[in-house]
Amino acid sequence: MIFAKQERLLRISKNRVLGVCIYVQEQHVSWLTDVLLQEILQAIKPKLHDKIVECKQETRTASVFTNRAFQVAYYIDKASRNSQVLLQEPIVKDEDTQFNEDDSQFSYSALCATLNALILVPEPYDPNNTIALPEMLNIGIE
């Protein structure tokens, strides 16, 4: 089975982001829209704290969440790299603000990535099949 890997960043606080690695079977890549990804993240959000605690205890097993539209295996793993993200935001002009040609019209703030990564393996829900995980993850399901 061939999986496509997508990487995203999920902002979890004002100054922190969590890396998200998504492994999607090749035939389901177009199925996984941004709207569906938001729905998946909302569904597993209440259970993420327990997964973070489990990660600190060195026990790695994937949990599965299922509803009528999708099923997703998820777990927390150590991040492969520690990085920072620079967020560029436009400066909002008001009547008193004047810019010279040399002035930047953007402000920048740093976001720090956590030492963990959220691993997701989503697929359309099929009651006749269990979710398939990439072998390279080397992880079992609860």
Side-chain angles (χ1 to χ4, degrees):
M1 205 171 299
I2 299 173
F3 285 83
K5 180 180 177 183
Q6 300 176 8
E7 292 189 9
R8 310 271 178 105
L9 293 173
L10 178 64
R11 193 170 191 171
I12 57 175
S13 73
K14 182 179 178 185
N15 298 320
R16 297 189 62 83
V17 293
L18 176 67
V20 181
C21 289
I22 307 165
Y23 293 91
V24 185
Q25 290 180 23
E26 216 169 45
Q27 69 265 27
H28 301 310
V29 169
S30 61
W31 164 83
L32 184 64
T33 63
D34 286 339
V35 172
L36 185 58
L37 180 58
Q38 292 298 319
E39 189 177 330
I40 289 169
L41 291 171
Q42 286 299 320
I44 66 171
K45 185 178 178 180
K47 302 173 192 291
L48 286 182
H49 178 69
D50 293 339
K51 280 296 179 186
I52 292 170
V53 170
E54 185 180 294
C55 176
K56 290 178 183 176
Q57 297 170 349
E58 301 296 327
T59 54
R60 287 184 357 148
T61 56
S63 297
V64 177
F65 178 86
T66 304
N67 72 10
R68 285 184 251 159
F70 63 86
Q71 56 188 3
V72 60
Y74 63 95
Y75 67 98
I76 301 289
D77 200 1
K78 303 284 187 222
S80 60
R81 61 184 183 272
N82 188 8
S83 59
Q84 290 199 351
V85 177
L86 198 57
L87 182 64
Q88 176 183 356
E89 298 176 303
I91 296 174
V92 179
K93 295 180 183 179
D94 60 15
E95 294 175 7
D96 299 332
T97 306
Q98 293 187 4
F99 290 105
N100 296 328
E101 287 182 29
D102 297 334
D103 289 342
S104 172
Q105 296 184 12
F106 297 97
S107 67
Y108 297 90
S109 56
L111 300 176
C112 186
T114 64
L115 298 176
N116 297 320
L118 173 61
I119 312 298
L120 298 175
V121 184
E123 61 183 42
Y125 177 64
D126 182 354
N128 300 319
N129 292 324
T130 59
I131 195 162
L133 298 179
E135 288 181 22
M136 63 176 262
L137 294 179
N138 197 24
I139 192 162
I141 296 177
E142 287 182 345

